Amino acid sequence: MDRWERTKIWVSVGSACAVIAGATWFAGMVVSPDYPQRRGYAVEGVPPVDLASAQRSWPVLSAQPGERAELLGYIANIDKAVLPVPAGGAAVVAEPVPDLGTLLAAADPEKGRRAAQVCGSCHTLDNGGPNRVGPNLWAVVGRPVAAHAGFAYSPALSGHGGAWSYQALDQFLAGPARAVPGTKMSFAGLRNPRDRANLLAYLATLGPSRLPFPAPAPAPQAAAPAAKPAPQAGARAPGVPATQTAARTAP
Ligand code: HEC
């Protein structure tokens, strides 16, 4: 192999390397991969688990008796709304809120009477009682909205229309300003659906005749996908407020 042959080999090896380096640079210019930092989908209702930190503390976790089992139980049940078993206790299952009819059927008017004491700072509840900051609430269940004689209602409530069905009252008492924006009833609302049901059961006793409770909804597994709203009972509820047909938002 003479000198000229060796030169040819070196030149071809060198130019091959140059071509590879150039092609790599050019490909990098054309395609720039951009890897996402976050998970591309979110699982409803499940708080994100910081797997990296769980992994870092894994030996510590497994050193504590029971803790590894707890973590594994959590992961196994993550899609079943079952919280991990607390030490020495039973699993806590997130309880769905029953519908108003079911709550009313089990409501306690006596508890409701005590709860109604907060209303007493603004309302009278007896037959023929005077209007105070708010109107008298005797026989309010089934009464047309904003219809008590001698009370100056806000435009929001007097323009509302319909009657105080159980559903409408339930929505209103959960958050008056949310249910009727612009109402002058400055009351934060009762967050607990059972407290509201007790109160409604008590309000139902105030009046000459009691408006029948809405029927409890059938058990969830029997419910049709397009469930119709429970039939509205009662001669005392001629109109139904528009808010009632809207899906109830859990407070
Ligand atoms: C801080 C005073 C205040 C408190 C407390 C209060 N209300 Fe009221 N309430 C009012 C006022 C004021 C109105 C009139 C609202 C309007 O005109 O927008 C009203 C209106 C109402 C209405 C509509 C009456 C109608 O004739 O249409 C109902 C029902 C009602 N309140 C129930 C209750 C209940 C039940 C409670 C207790 C859980 C309660 N309120 C607590 C001030 C209050």
Side-chain angles (χ1 to χ4, degrees):
M1 198 188 283
D2 63 1
R3 201 172 154 213
W4 175 235
E5 287 281 292
R6 276 204 298 274
T7 309
K8 278 204 287 192
I9 289 172
W10 283 121
V11 166
S12 39
V13 168
S15 47
C17 288
V19 166
I20 289 170
T24 306
W25 171 80
F26 183 71
M29 295 266 298
V30 176
V31 183
S32 51
D34 182 16
Y35 298 109
Q37 296 297 307
R38 289 186 303 118
R39 202 163 55 177
Y41 58 92
V43 184
E44 283 272 307
V46 175
V49 177
D50 185 357
L51 285 179
S53 85
Q55 213 171 17
R56 274 197 302 277
S57 54
W58 192 270
V60 182
L61 278 176
S62 43
Q64 302 291 321
E67 275 188 320
R68 193 171 62 151
E70 195 176 308
L71 181 62
L72 290 177
Y74 176 76
I75 291 171
N77 291 307
I78 211 158
D79 57 341
K80 303 193 189 91
V82 178
L83 305 180
V85 184
V92 185
V93 179
E95 191 198 349
V97 177
D99 63 285
L100 186 59
T102 307
L103 288 174
L104 280 171
D108 180 353
E110 178 52 32
K111 282 188 187 153
R113 190 187 61 77
R114 273 175 268 141
Q117 282 169 1
V118 297
C119 324
S121 54
C122 297
H123 295 279
T124 57
L125 294 136
D126 52 328
N127 190 1
N131 295 329
R132 288 201 191 135
V133 179
N136 171 259
L137 290 182
W138 175 256
V140 72
V141 181
R143 188 165 90 185
V145 173
H148 193 68
F151 186 79
Y153 289 95
S154 66
L157 206 62
S158 45
H160 186 274
W164 286 121
S165 63
Y166 290 105
Q167 288 89 343
L169 280 169
D170 185 52
Q171 253 185 4
F172 183 62
L173 296 175
R178 194 159 27 122
V180 182
T183 179
K184 60 177 181 175
M185 170 155 149
S186 41
F187 176 70
L190 297 168
R191 293 190 70 80
N192 187 325
R194 286 184 175 78
D195 291 349
R196 292 199 303 273
N198 289 339
L199 182 63
L200 291 181
Y202 170 64
L203 291 179
T205 65
L206 307 174
S209 61
R210 211 196 65 150
L211 188 69
F213 289 154
Q221 59 268 32
K228 279 188 282 171
Q232 259 311 290
R236 291 171 63 198
V240 173
T243 49
Q244 188 194 316
T245 44
R248 270 205 309 138
T249 45

